[in-house]
Amino acid sequence: MTTKIISSRDNPLYKELKHLATSSQARRKAGRTLLDGIHLCEAYLQQVGLPPLCIASETALLNSEVTVIVQQCIHSHTQCIVLPDALFHALSQVEHGVDILFVIDTPELTEPQRLLQSAVLLDRVQDPGNFGSIVRSAAAAGIKQVFCSAGTTFAWSPKVMRAGMGAHFLMEIFENVDLEALIARADIPVIATSSHAEKRLYDLDLTQPVAWLFGHEGQGVTEHLLALATHQITIPHLGAIESLNVAASSAVCFFEQVRQITARS
C-alpha cells in the first residue's frame, strides 16, 4: 500500500477528518478520535498496535521519526494520507508540533459488576487537562481502571489524550457510569477527597486495593456520593490555600498508596 495525497478541502475523507477534529459529538458518534503528535502515535503503536488511518503533512515527511512511523503503517497495509501543511494544520490542535495524526477506534468496554482492584472514580471532572493528568498519574501508580460519571469530559478527546501522554493505552476507561450503583456493590474501600473532611490521607492503610473518588473542579464530589464513600479524607497542607487542584490531589493520593505498598515490599 502507498500513501494517498489529498489536496482539496472538498475531499469527502478530508471533510470527515475535519469533523472528527472539531466535534466531540462527531467523535462519540463515530467511535473514533485523533491522536496528535509523534509521542502519542508511537505509544499507540507500542501498546495497542496499528491504527485504521495515519495522516501526515508534506513537511512532516522530511522528519525521520515520522518517516519510520509512516513506513511501518504502509508495510502493514494501514491507510496513509499526506496533506498539504495548511490542510493538516486545520485538523491539529498542536502548535509547533510534528505533523502526524492517527485516527483510532475508541474502546468499547463492558463495565465490570464489582470493584475488585484499585481504581479511579471521576464525578463530573470537566477540564480535559485535569482528566488527562489524572489518568497519567493513575497509570504511573499502577492503577488499571477509571470510571467516569455522566457529565465528565469525554475521555478520548484530543486534548485529554495529549494530557494523558499515552496513559490511556494502559488503562480500562469506562464512561457514563452510574457511580452510585458501582460504589454500592464495591468490594473494596471507596475513598473520597473533601476539603471539609477531618480524617487525613496519611491516617489510612492503603496497602490493599481501594477506589479513589474525585469530584468536579469547583463543586467537588456530590453529597450523595460522599455519603456512600467508606472514607472521606483531606490532604493536609501548610499554606493558606483552601484545597488542591483535583489533578494534584489525585497524584498525592496515588503516590501515598505507592509509598505504603513499596515500603512493605
Side-chain angles (χ1 to χ4, degrees), residues 10-244:
D10 296 323
N11 179 279
L13 178 54
Y14 182 77
K15 287 183 176 180
E16 181 182 339
L17 293 172
K18 185 69 176 296
H19 208 201
L20 280 178
T22 57
S23 169
S24 179
Q25 183 178 2
R27 291 189 288 269
R28 290 177 185 267
K29 184 177 180 180
R32 288 190 160 186
T33 192
L34 299 177
L35 302 185
D36 203 334
I38 284 179
H39 178 85
L40 280 179
C41 292
E42 288 180 337
Y44 188 85
L45 288 171
Q46 292 167 6
Q47 301 295 336
V48 182
L50 292 160
L53 179 61
C54 174
I55 308 157
S57 73
E58 291 176 338
T59 298
L61 292 181
L62 302 175
N63 182 296
S64 60
E65 292 179 289
V66 171
T67 300
V68 169
I69 293 173
V70 171
Q71 288 301 318
Q72 182 176 347
C73 289
I74 290 173
H75 291 157
S76 301
H77 305 289
T78 292
Q79 185 179 9
C80 295
I81 293 171
V82 177
L83 299 174
D85 290 8
L87 292 191
F88 184 96
H89 293 156
L91 303 179
S92 174
Q93 298 176 354
V94 176
E95 293 186 15
H96 312 300
V98 178
D99 297 344
I100 185 166
L101 290 165
F102 279 178
V103 175
I104 66 166
D105 296 317
T106 52
E108 295 183 10
L109 303 175
T110 301
E111 183 185 332
Q113 290 301 304
R114 310 189 79 82
L115 282 174
L116 300 173
Q117 59 179 305
S118 287
V120 182
L121 281 54
L122 298 181
D123 175 28
R124 301 165 302 123
V125 172
Q126 296 183 341
D127 180 78
N130 283 336
F131 189 115
S133 295
I134 291 170
V135 171
R136 186 178 181 184
S137 294
I143 296 171
K144 303 295 186 183
Q145 293 180 324
V146 179
F147 298 87
C148 310
S149 72
T152 299
T153 191
F154 182 43
W156 299 91
S157 76
K159 287 183 178 179
V160 174
M161 300 288 292
R162 289 200 304 277
M165 293 292 285
H168 284 65
F169 312 138
L170 303 172
M171 310 285 286
E172 293 180 328
I173 301 176
F174 305 89
E175 296 191 284
N176 297 311
V177 175
D178 182 344
L179 294 184
E180 184 173 347
L182 185 65
I183 293 170
R185 62 178 185 262
D187 289 331
I188 58 177
V190 177
I191 302 172
T193 56
S194 170
S195 59
H196 306 296
E198 295 183 1
K199 184 178 292 185
R200 306 185 319 154
L201 166 66
Y202 308 116
D203 296 330
L204 295 181
D205 179 357
L206 302 174
T207 57
Q208 301 300 318
V210 301
W212 296 102
L213 174 59
F214 303 103
H216 181 276
E217 286 84 352
Q219 301 165 10
V221 178
T222 55
E223 290 297 328
H224 72 281
L225 290 179
L226 272 178
L228 292 174
T230 313
H231 304 285
Q232 296 180 29
I233 58 97
T234 187
I235 299 172
H237 51 276
L238 300 179
I241 298 294
E242 181 181 356
S243 62
L244 296 176

